[in-house]
């Protein structure tokens, strides 16, 4: 009986077991609805029923912005991996290795250069999956390098912010990225090039206290959490109940902290329109070819009608 129970039945169970991907279904954080992953992916990671905006990876974000989903990855400066030799429950270098293996990124910020509706732009994206999008030396260098490239190319710079704040494992070196990125933003401003910030869910801490709130135009995705300190910390400090929707994108728009809240499906044309407006570039109008179903087949040309010659006038008789 033990042989049947311990050997035969597990083998039969393994044969009949069907492998199911871990991410086949996604649960909507807002409504709890289960949605097929492919449907969410094809919808730019927006839940179809509730319009809840899920987080996007850096590559997915860049693909959704650049023309033909193509761009050039910008080479970023190397920085010390663990300048403070920091260790808590685990070594900081081990956390970095795990985050790189999970996301395929070198650090939390990725910078690309390409075309947006025909116009050159530099785009930087913070990936929250990389240690909460925290701002460290490498991320600060990436933002600074992207701003410098925008100055060199004389084109707009767009940043998608998503961060929990400064990276505590780098201490004061992380906090130094706040003034460094602020100075780089000023360099772009002196070059008279647009700086557009898109705040995604969540954008908090030191990132909000620096380059994420310095844009010429401040855009946010619907429902994004934006703030410096957490709502619970604020309530405990001021000993008051915060209003409904506090620190959400719509609340901040209504109170003048950001300029607009744009749905992800409308984000690309909105950014392209803003870049043209701020750079005074002419709008490129592409004429679409006529559909094949509407094209009439060529017909043989009819011969042109030959006008009849006027009747000949009789010659006068000789005198």
């Amino acid at each position: 009986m033990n042989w049947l129970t311990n050997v035969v039945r597990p083998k039969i169970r393994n044969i009949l077991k069907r492998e199911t991907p871990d991410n086949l279904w996604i649960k909507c954080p807002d409504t709890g609805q289960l949605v097929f992953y492919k449907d969410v992916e094809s919808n730019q990671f927006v839940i179809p029923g509730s319009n809840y905006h899920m987080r996007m990876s850096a590559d997915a974000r860049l693909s959704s912005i650049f023309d033909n989903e193509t761009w050039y990855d910008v080479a970023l400066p190397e920085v010390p991996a663990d300048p403070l030799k920091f260790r808590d429950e685990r070594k900081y270098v081990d956390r970095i290795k795990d985050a790189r293996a999970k996301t395929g990124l070198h650090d939390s910020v990725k910078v690309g250069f390409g075309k947006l509706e025909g116009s050159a732009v530099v785009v930087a994206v913070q990936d929250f999956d990389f240690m909460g999008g925290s701002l460290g030396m490498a991320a600060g260098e990436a933002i600074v390098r992207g701003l410098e490239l925008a100055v060199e190319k004389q084109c707009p710079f767009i940043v998608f912010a998503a961060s929990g704040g400064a990276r505590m494992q780098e201490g004061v070196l992380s906090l130094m990225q706040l003034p460094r990125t602020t100075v780089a933003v000023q360099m772009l401003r002196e070059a008279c090039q647009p700086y557009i910030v898109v705040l995604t869910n969540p954008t908090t801490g030191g990132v909000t206290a620096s380059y994420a709130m310095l844009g010429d135009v401040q855009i946010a995705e619907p429902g994004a959490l934006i703030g410096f300190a957490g709502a619970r910390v604020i309530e405990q400090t001021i000993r008051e109940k915060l209003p409904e929707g506090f620190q959400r994108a719509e609340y901040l728009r209504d109170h003048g902290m950001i300029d607009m809240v744009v749905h992800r499906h409308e984000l690309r044309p909105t950014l392209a329109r803003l870049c043209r407006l701020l750079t005074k570039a002419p709008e490129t109008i592409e004429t679409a070819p006529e559909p094949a179903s509407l094209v009439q087949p060529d017909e043989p040309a009819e011969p042109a009608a030959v006008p009849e010659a006027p009747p000949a006038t009789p010659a006068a008789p000789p005198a």
Side-chain angles (χ1 to χ4, degrees), residues 253-264:
R253 176 201 56 197
D254 296 340
H255 289 76
M257 192 170 179
I258 60 176
D259 297 308
M260 61 181 76
V261 177
V262 181
H263 194 282
R264 190 172 290 170

Side-chain angles (χ1 to χ4, degrees), residues 62 66 71-77 110-115 120-124 140-158 184-185 187-189 191 193-195:
L62 293 173
F66 286 115
W71 68 90
Y72 294 99
D73 285 333
V74 177
L76 304 176
K110 185 170 185 176
V111 183
F113 172 73
K115 298 283 188 178
V121 292
V122 179
V123 180
E141 288 288 352
I143 296 294
V144 171
R145 177 60 191 135
L147 288 162
E148 291 175 344
L149 181 62
V151 173
E152 295 171 10
K153 299 293 185 181
Q154 288 294 293
C155 66
F157 181 77
I158 303 171
V185 170
M187 290 171 49
L188 183 70
R189 192 157 289 149
Q193 293 302 318
Y195 175 49

Side-chain angles (χ1 to χ4, degrees), residues 176-254:
M176 283 301 298
Q177 307 312 310
L178 277 66
R180 293 187 71 249
T181 53
T182 302
V183 171
V185 170
Q186 185 60 30
M187 290 171 49
L188 183 70
R189 192 157 289 149
E190 292 174 356
C192 299
Q193 293 302 318
Y195 175 49
I196 302 174
V197 178
V198 182
L199 303 167
T200 66
N201 185 42
T203 303
T204 59
V207 172
T208 311
S210 56
Y211 60 88
M213 300 305 295
L214 297 176
D216 299 317
V217 181
Q218 296 286 140
I219 303 175
E221 289 189 332
L225 175 65
I226 305 163
F228 181 73
R232 184 174 58 183
V233 174
I234 297 174
E235 286 184 340
Q236 292 175 352
T237 302
I238 65 175
R239 298 180 181 180
E240 292 182 10
K241 184 68 176 177
L242 296 175
E244 187 70 23
F246 184 75
Q247 291 185 328
R248 293 293 174 177
E250 293 77 9
Y251 182 92
L252 299 180
R253 176 201 56 197
D254 296 340

Side-chain angles (χ1 to χ4, degrees), residues 52-68:
Y52 183 88
H53 286 50
M54 306 286 291
R55 297 191 187 111
M56 293 182 72
S57 66
D59 286 332
R61 182 73 73 175
L62 293 173
S63 297
S64 68
I65 295 300
F66 286 115
D67 294 346
N68 302 320

Side-chain angles (χ1 to χ4, degrees), residues 77-156:
E78 291 288 338
V79 298
D82 186 8
L84 302 181
K85 308 300 180 185
F86 189 91
R87 177 170 184 167
D88 44 24
E89 295 178 355
R90 298 176 59 201
K91 291 183 179 180
Y92 176 44
V93 289
D94 294 337
R95 293 183 183 275
I96 289 287
K97 289 178 182 178
D98 292 346
R100 289 174 178 173
K102 176 184 176 182
T103 62
L105 301 175
H106 184 72
D107 208 86
S108 60
V109 177
K110 185 170 185 176
V111 183
F113 172 73
K115 298 283 188 178
L116 174 58
E117 292 194 4
S119 300
V121 292
V122 179
V123 180
V125 180
Q126 281 185 280
D127 196 325
F128 194 81
D129 288 338
F130 193 104
M131 297 188 68
S134 52
L135 177 63
M137 293 177 62
E141 288 288 352
I143 296 294
V144 171
R145 177 60 191 135
L147 288 162
E148 291 175 344
L149 181 62
V151 173
E152 295 171 10
K153 299 293 185 181
Q154 288 294 293
C155 66

Side-chain angles (χ1 to χ4, degrees), residues 312-316:
T313 305

